[in-house]
Amino acid sequence: MAEISIRKARQIIKGTFAKGREMELKPLSVIVLDAGGHVKAFEREDGAAPGRFAIAQGKAYGAVMLGMAGTAQMARAEQQAYFMAAVNGVYGGQVVPVPGGVLVRDKKGAVIGAVGVTGDTSDNDAEAALAGLALAQLEGEI
Amino acid sequence: MAEISIRKARQIIKGTFAKGREMELKPLSVIVLDAGGHVKAFEREDGAAPGRFAIAQGKAYGAVMLGMAGTAQMARAEQQAYFMAAVNGVYGGQVVPVPGGVLVRDKKGAVIGAVGVTGDTSDNDAEAALAGLALAQLEGEI
Amino acid sequence: MAEISIRKARQIIKGTFAKGREMELKPLSVIVLDAGGHVKAFEREDGAAPGRFAIAQGKAYGAVMLGMAGTAQMARAEQQAYFMAAVNGVYGGQVVPVPGGVLVRDKKGAVIGAVGVTGDTSDNDAEAALAGLALAQLEGEI
Amino acid sequence: MAEISIRKARQIIKGTFAKGREMELKPLSVIVLDAGGHVKAFEREDGAAPGRFAIAQGKAYGAVMLGMAGTAQMARAEQQAYFMAAVNGVYGGQVVPVPGGVLVRDKKGAVIGAVGVTGDTSDNDAEAALAGLALAQLEGEI
């Protein structure tokens, strides 16, 4: 399956945490999913709340499953709340439709996975994710 | 149970995809359910996001279970979001109340199944579904 | 994501049904999943019981998620029933560990998806699946 | 809550993978949970099947929740399969009662988390986990 290698996944996590420290954000949690929505890597910084795995996963999972990043999901949720609620239902309650769910594509435009970041504001989470992707020489769609 | 035959189901899917290409829509996914809401056939075009099965199923499932097509479900959701949320609950989170869920009846008016299409805008999804049903010489209620 | 194209998926289904008719099997249902376990295509022959989708999916889903085909899953279930029961729990009850769940690899050995067949005996289901894969010029691990 | 720091968690994962390569095991997946059973860190080696997160989590989760490592859980499952099945039920299907679920205690004997390893045989998974814990200067109960 197309996926972000474990080496690249570690770089994404490292770069996201580094940006979080630089921006003085709250402790972050970062997940990297493959193109099928399955977990490749995850880290939760010391001091982050225990339930952060599910939030990070929810942000990234919706992005992969719908082929739609967090910002676009949030726009849809603002317009048609019942639609995103229903989408969440069909995906077993695993979708968190806000920024911080970042879609990752290869150079031909095919989705190879997603990154989910949580811990600070949604916009800061997304900014830190992009820094992580940059360290891994990947581009993200927030 | 009354159902759409597998031969007709293939025609519905073929006709929906043909309309999608003609209208230059994004890659589509099409499901055909029987009168009990159970899957008869499904296809996901190359390039569609991996989670499209559940969206297509959710659109068609609600139509069969409620005897109400996607447009009517959406109207109800706009008026009474909590009602459709509750309906979703009793059906195990499997209802997506927007156009693209198309109810199919026989000549006497009895429901014989439903079609669910997803991938482009809800209205385009519904239009493509009708073209698929036309190819199979069936009428749909969007 | 690595996946079986929709064109190949249709060949797999067609070839499986043809083998089923040749062997005079009961009506069959065939699912094709991608490398992330998500539905690419499904067909249920006329006369098959309504719940066959879930059985076909369960056979193929376990194969993809564990990287282990139906025969190997069955062997493990025979040895350690509680282990396969637990695996089923972590995968949301979606695993049916018997032959008819067939793993599909590309020429380099990477999993590109799985096929699930149900309707007759498990062994006949698996034999029909292999015929379907042969028509699509793919090899399966039963 | 008592937990394994993210620095130590990375060492556990690194040491487990190193042992896996030294023993020439199949690709491994490693999870580190905190004392509340929540995910602290996870990595899946390239080449591992997509569903390995849930198996790794299930091994470690049962260890934390029951305060009983994988080997003891397996012994109980061999004696009383229905008991472990019931335990699985009350924990939402998240328990995989075999070796590879390793309990981690601090110097006073208090549980500070658990490690779950999957990919090879259960015994090899457990051996690799112990090597990972040794690198982090922690002791594990398999």
Side-chain angles (χ1 to χ4, degrees):
Chain A
M1 174 161 26
E3 64 175 23
I4 295 164
S5 69
I6 189 64
R7 193 177 59 80
K8 291 244 174 195
R10 282 180 199 133
Q11 289 175 324
I12 292 167
I13 293 171
K14 185 178 177 181
T16 303
F17 286 160
K19 187 69 177 178
R21 289 318 105 235
E22 179 198 317
M23 291 172 70
E24 300 188 345
L25 305 184
K26 290 180 194 165
L28 299 178
S29 299
V30 185
I31 201 166
V32 179
L33 302 184
D34 68 22
H38 303 293
V39 193
K40 184 76 190 177
F42 172 80
E43 287 193 12
R44 170 160 57 97
E45 283 192 302
D46 295 336
R52 289 289 167 179
F53 173 82
I55 307 289
Q57 185 180 38
K59 290 187 178 188
Y61 189 73
V64 167
M65 292 302 273
L66 293 165
M68 191 190 295
T71 304
Q73 287 180 60
M74 185 171 71
R76 187 74 188 260
E78 301 269 357
Q79 289 178 326
Q80 261 186 311
Y82 61 85
F83 175 76
M84 285 309 296
V87 163
N88 215 339
V90 299
Y91 292 142
Q94 290 191 71
V95 175
V96 179
V98 294
V102 181
L103 209 50
V104 185
R105 297 180 191 276
D106 65 15
K107 288 175 183 176
K108 292 175 183 166
V111 172
I112 58 169
V115 174
V117 177
T118 182
D120 206 276
T121 67
S122 294
D123 288 341
N124 285 341
D125 292 342
E127 189 173 343
L130 286 181
L133 283 160
L135 184 65
Q137 294 181 289
L138 290 167
E139 284 185 34
E141 181 183 326
I142 62 167
Chain B
M1 176 160 19
E3 66 175 22
I4 295 164
S5 70
I6 189 64
R7 193 177 59 80
K8 291 246 174 194
R10 284 179 198 132
Q11 289 174 323
I12 292 167
I13 293 172
K14 187 179 177 182
T16 304
F17 286 161
K19 187 70 177 179
R21 290 317 106 236
E22 181 197 315
M23 291 172 71
E24 299 188 345
L25 305 184
K26 290 182 193 164
L28 299 178
S29 299
V30 185
I31 201 167
V32 179
L33 301 185
D34 67 21
H38 303 292
V39 193
K40 183 75 189 181
F42 173 78
E43 288 193 12
R44 171 159 56 97
E45 283 193 302
D46 296 336
R52 289 291 166 180
F53 173 82
I55 307 290
Q57 185 181 36
K59 288 186 177 189
Y61 189 73
V64 167
M65 294 303 275
L66 293 165
M68 191 191 295
T71 304
Q73 287 179 59
M74 185 170 71
R76 189 71 188 262
E78 299 271 359
Q79 290 177 326
Q80 266 185 307
Y82 60 85
F83 175 74
M84 286 308 298
V87 163
N88 216 336
V90 297
Y91 292 140
Q94 289 190 71
V95 174
V96 179
V98 294
V102 181
L103 210 50
V104 186
R105 296 180 191 275
D106 65 15
K107 288 174 184 177
K108 292 176 184 166
V111 172
I112 58 169
V115 175
V117 177
T118 183
D120 206 275
T121 66
S122 295
D123 288 340
N124 286 340
D125 292 342
E127 189 174 342
L130 286 181
L133 284 160
L135 185 66
Q137 296 183 285
L138 290 167
E139 284 185 33
E141 179 182 327
I142 63 168
Chain C
M1 174 161 27
E3 65 175 21
I4 295 165
S5 70
I6 188 65
R7 193 177 60 80
K8 291 245 173 193
R10 283 180 198 132
Q11 290 175 324
I12 293 168
I13 293 172
K14 186 179 177 180
T16 304
F17 286 161
K19 187 69 176 181
R21 291 318 105 235
E22 180 197 316
M23 292 172 71
E24 300 188 344
L25 305 184
K26 291 181 193 165
L28 299 179
S29 299
V30 185
I31 201 166
V32 179
L33 302 185
D34 68 22
H38 303 295
V39 193
K40 184 75 190 180
F42 172 79
E43 287 194 11
R44 169 160 58 97
E45 282 193 302
D46 296 336
R52 289 289 167 179
F53 174 82
I55 307 290
Q57 185 181 35
K59 289 186 177 189
Y61 189 73
V64 167
M65 292 301 274
L66 291 165
M68 192 190 294
T71 304
Q73 286 179 60
M74 186 170 71
R76 186 75 187 260
E78 301 269 356
Q79 289 178 325
Q80 260 186 310
Y82 61 84
F83 176 76
M84 285 309 296
V87 162
N88 216 340
V90 298
Y91 293 143
Q94 290 190 72
V95 174
V96 179
V98 294
V102 181
L103 209 50
V104 186
R105 296 180 191 275
D106 65 16
K107 288 174 184 178
K108 291 175 185 167
V111 173
I112 58 169
V115 174
V117 177
T118 181
D120 207 275
T121 66
S122 294
D123 288 341
N124 286 341
D125 292 342
E127 189 173 343
L130 286 181
L133 283 161
L135 185 65
Q137 295 181 287
L138 290 167
E139 284 185 34
E141 181 181 327
I142 62 168
Chain D
M1 177 159 21
E3 66 176 22
I4 295 163
S5 69
I6 189 63
R7 192 177 61 80
K8 291 245 175 194
R10 283 180 199 133
Q11 289 174 324
I12 292 167
I13 293 172
K14 185 179 178 181
T16 304
F17 286 161
K19 187 69 176 179
R21 290 320 104 234
E22 180 197 315
M23 292 171 71
E24 300 188 346
L25 305 184
K26 291 183 193 162
L28 298 178
S29 299
V30 185
I31 201 167
V32 179
L33 302 184
D34 67 20
H38 304 292
V39 193
K40 183 75 189 182
F42 173 79
E43 288 193 13
R44 171 160 57 96
E45 282 193 301
D46 296 335
R52 290 292 166 180
F53 174 81
I55 307 291
Q57 186 181 36
K59 289 186 177 187
Y61 189 74
V64 167
M65 293 303 274
L66 292 164
M68 190 192 295
T71 303
Q73 287 179 59
M74 185 169 73
R76 188 72 188 261
E78 300 272 358
Q79 290 177 325
Q80 266 186 307
Y82 60 86
F83 176 74
M84 286 309 296
V87 162
N88 216 336
V90 297
Y91 293 139
Q94 290 190 71
V95 174
V96 179
V98 294
V102 181
L103 210 50
V104 186
R105 296 180 191 275
D106 65 15
K107 287 174 186 178
K108 293 175 184 166
V111 173
I112 57 169
V115 174
V117 177
T118 182
D120 207 276
T121 65
S122 295
D123 289 341
N124 285 340
D125 293 342
E127 189 173 343
L130 286 182
L133 283 160
L135 185 65
Q137 295 181 288
L138 290 167
E139 283 185 35
E141 179 182 327
I142 61 167

